Amino acid sequence: MHLCRVIGTVWATVKVDTLTGYRLLVVQPVSHDLTEKGYPVVAVDTVSAAPGQLVYIVKSREASKALEEPFNPVDAAIVGIVDELRTSS
Amino acid sequence: MFIARVIGEVVSTIEHPTLRDKKLLVVEKLTERGDPTGDSQLAVDSVSAGEGDTVLVLDEGSSAGLVTNLDNPPIRTVIVGVIDSIDIED
């Protein structure tokens, strides 16, 4: 599970059926000190996140389990919005 | 599974239903000798690990469902043990 900042939205009318009804957000993975880490990815939103918010995503096969329809072509899903991030280092 | 140290926690009220009563800890990957790698990630806690603990983190989906006894949760990284010591042959 990875911390990410929501930086944008993808609009796609022509897409696989199981993705209809879901928002596609562009997220930038960040480290625990909020510095950017790696490249932005597009993730399906399941928690109504908004641009600018700090969220966390699940990647690979497990991401598809965040949606109702069990079989869907999703490899990144936003599964939570961070209220507070406490780190010691 | 990988070795990591708990370096923080995430508090979240808006989240996927399967994560509602779960504790989310920030873990930093360690080398086998215990040196921090700077690569951090979040993991669901299942052994009441505390800050500063060296832990064993599972990073694979189907077992995550077993450990959290949830049916196919969107969870991959789960803390499955608190490590007491590691012996590496030099």
Side-chain angles (χ1 to χ4, degrees):
Chain A
M1 210 150 34
H2 305 273
L3 282 171
C4 291
R5 175 82 63 194
V6 179
I7 60 172
T9 306
V10 165
W11 307 96
T13 44
V14 177
K15 57 192 171 189
V16 175
D17 307 342
T18 50
L19 287 182
T20 45
Y22 286 101
R23 289 168 69 227
L24 300 174
L25 297 181
V26 184
V27 296
Q28 166 62 57
V30 292
S31 186
H32 58 278
D33 55 8
L34 302 185
T35 53
E36 289 189 5
K37 177 173 97 165
Y39 297 98
V41 295
V42 178
V44 169
D45 175 29
T46 70
V47 286
S48 311
Q53 283 189 311
L54 193 61
V55 295
Y56 45 96
I57 70 172
V58 60
K59 287 168 81 171
S60 77
R61 173 81 182 80
E62 286 63 48
S64 66
K65 297 175 184 168
L67 306 190
E68 302 305 325
E69 165 71 37
F71 292 106
N72 58 68
V74 165
D75 68 354
I78 299 171
V79 287
I81 298 173
V82 175
D83 290 342
E84 203 186 319
L85 168 65
R86 284 196 299 263
T87 57
S88 54
S89 83
Chain B
M1 287 187 282
F2 60 83
I3 299 166
R5 173 165 295 124
V6 177
I7 61 168
E9 183 174 4
V10 160
V11 175
S12 173
T13 45
I14 301 170
E15 59 204 346
H16 193 272
T18 54
L19 293 169
R20 194 132 296 150
D21 53 359
K22 298 286 182 291
K23 208 163 128 192
L24 295 182
L25 298 179
V26 183
V27 294
E28 180 174 16
K29 271 189 187 170
L30 304 179
T31 64
E32 74 286 0
R33 302 220 177 267
D35 309 321
T37 59
D39 177 17
S40 66
Q41 210 180 127
L42 303 188
V44 170
D45 178 29
S46 74
V47 289
S48 316
E51 202 133 333
D53 282 350
T54 304
V55 291
L56 196 58
V57 185
L58 169 80
D59 192 19
E60 184 271 329
S62 52
S63 333
L66 297 174
V67 170
T68 55
N69 52 55
L70 289 165
D71 178 24
N72 265 333
I75 298 172
R76 240 187 96 81
T77 41
V78 181
I79 296 175
V80 292
V82 178
I83 296 175
D84 299 323
S85 67
I86 303 170
D87 298 329
I88 302 287
E89 300 302 316
D90 311 323

